[in-house]
Amino acid sequence: MAAPNRTQFAILGFLSLGSMSGYDIKKLVEESTANFWSESFGQLYPALQKLSEGGLIEKQATISEGGRPRHIYSINDRGREALAAWQREPTAPPPVRIELLLKLFFGARCDRATNRRQLLAYREQMVSDLEHYRTIKERLRRGASGNAELPYWLFTLRFGEHDRAAHIAWCDETLAVLDELPDVGSEAGEEGNPPWQASTRTGT
Amino acid sequence: MAAPNRTQFAILGFLSLGSMSGYDIKKLVEESTANFWSESFGQLYPALQKLSEGGLIEKQATISEGGRPRHIYSINDRGREALAAWQREPTAPPPVRIELLLKLFFGARCDRATNRRQLLAYREQMVSDLEHYRTIKERLRRGASGNAELPYWLFTLRFGEHDRAAHIAWCDETLAVLDELPDVGSEAGEEGNPPWQASTRTGT
DNA sequence: ATTTGCATGTAAAATGTTACATGATTGC
DNA sequence: GCAATCATGTAACATTTTACATGCAAAT
């Protein structure tokens, strides 16, 4: 079954919604999970082949309307089992690397205007994300009412809404505090060593 | 100046707080930014060398107490400039891949108990993160009061608090809705193709 | 005619983690 | 003596993105 590659499970998930080609999966990903999960062709095609070789999905070479060759993949029982098994497995927290916070952590090394600009740009992104989610939600409510999976799709959307709203609130709070800080410019008082002590890292 | 490697900027940031060795940086990272930014030795040591070659930091071979060799690095003016320039630059949003949401997106493919377990485990992690942040906060308030960078360090902590609190709220909301959903088990009604349509992806 | 979309794949590069190799010192 | 911490570095591996290569068909 090769490496515990998450791409393969994503593929199994999408194929569980219906048979389709690699190209179709890519499109579906962009339209549905792109906000929290995306895949590139460079991952999809090799993974499809591996799944096919592993006997979790079936490949049928078809000719589409225009006479173009198309490889349609379908999930089988072994694939469905593998999908469900993955869903049952404990989920490792994703590695986080938030560049904005790294910049802000060293915020005393640059001027206030710079920090403000970064926060405002981030805030704008969060607001536009929220708008985007609302659009998707309306489309879903119209196009998928009655669909048994709709609630689950809405769960992931609500995640985005909670998350972005919280980040906007954080931006506002941070901007307010920032305005009351002395603007030392980029030449701050250096040396005076950091008060960090060995922390008992909460193991994962 | 080689690749626009973020590790190098992280290093510059930490060296702007004081001169230290690669080992020291690694320790500091673990104690301070690990919640939103981490680095491994495999990245740190080559990056230190590159920065040194690039003339952004200075290397001094020292002998520490025990007679062990130590390489102490110090940031110079060019390095400080590069750090500030990076802070001014627009920040690209990090790629998000949240496995929990991917599993939940296909939640109709497994039983309710499985979805519940995943949500509860995630919720627990969020709660323990919050506790961890509180510990750090207290330590900071005691050990760094008066420090000019303290506000910025608290900003990143507040980010974590906002973020985790929102995710906990989402978990609770989701668990409540989940309980009212029919438990179809892993054999749900398949086919009935997804209502996703081409979405105008909000460009980044 | 030319662009856009459909469709599949490979190669290369960037990024990052984990494991390995080495060796000294300090505390138990 | 032995484990833990200090300390530096390399090698292998995994993951993922981006770019490249190819070609047909439909729409403009």
Side-chain angles (χ1 to χ4, degrees), chain B residues 133-180:
Chain B
Y133 299 157
R134 256 183 271 278
T135 312
I136 295 178
K137 208 184 218 174
E138 275 164 38
R139 186 173 359 115
L140 271 182
R141 285 206 196 286
R142 268 186 278 112
S145 58
N147 193 317
E149 358 231 358
L150 178 61
Y152 299 95
W153 298 342
L154 291 176
F155 288 160
T156 66
L157 261 179
R158 287 292 295 152
F159 180 96
E161 290 180 345
H162 276 277
D163 184 80
R164 299 313 198 253
H167 289 195
I168 289 170
W170 169 77
C171 283
D172 292 337
E173 175 191 307
T174 304
L175 283 163
V177 176
L178 192 65
D179 275 339
E180 280 165 30

Side-chain angles (χ1 to χ4, degrees), chain A residues 96 101-102 105-106 196, chain B residues 14 28-39 156:
Chain A
V96 250
L101 292 187
L102 189 63
F105 187 82
F106 301 115
W196 307 98
Chain B
F14 281 104
L28 243 191
V29 165
E30 294 307 326
E31 290 160 18
S32 60
T33 64
N35 294 305
F36 58 86
W37 196 271
S38 51
E39 296 290 350
T156 66

Side-chain angles (χ1 to χ4, degrees), chain A residues 43-80:
Chain A
Q43 297 264 106
L44 278 178
Y45 285 116
L48 279 167
Q49 195 138 356
K50 247 178 254 176
L51 282 170
S52 191
E53 285 165 10
L56 302 180
I57 63 177
E58 317 288 347
K59 180 189 201 166
Q60 311 151 243
T62 323
I63 307 288
S64 70
E65 320 95 53
R68 301 187 228 87
R70 256 169 75 88
H71 303 163
I72 301 291
Y73 296 91
S74 313
I75 194 171
N76 61 25
D77 283 339
R78 283 194 55 201
R80 264 180 285 265

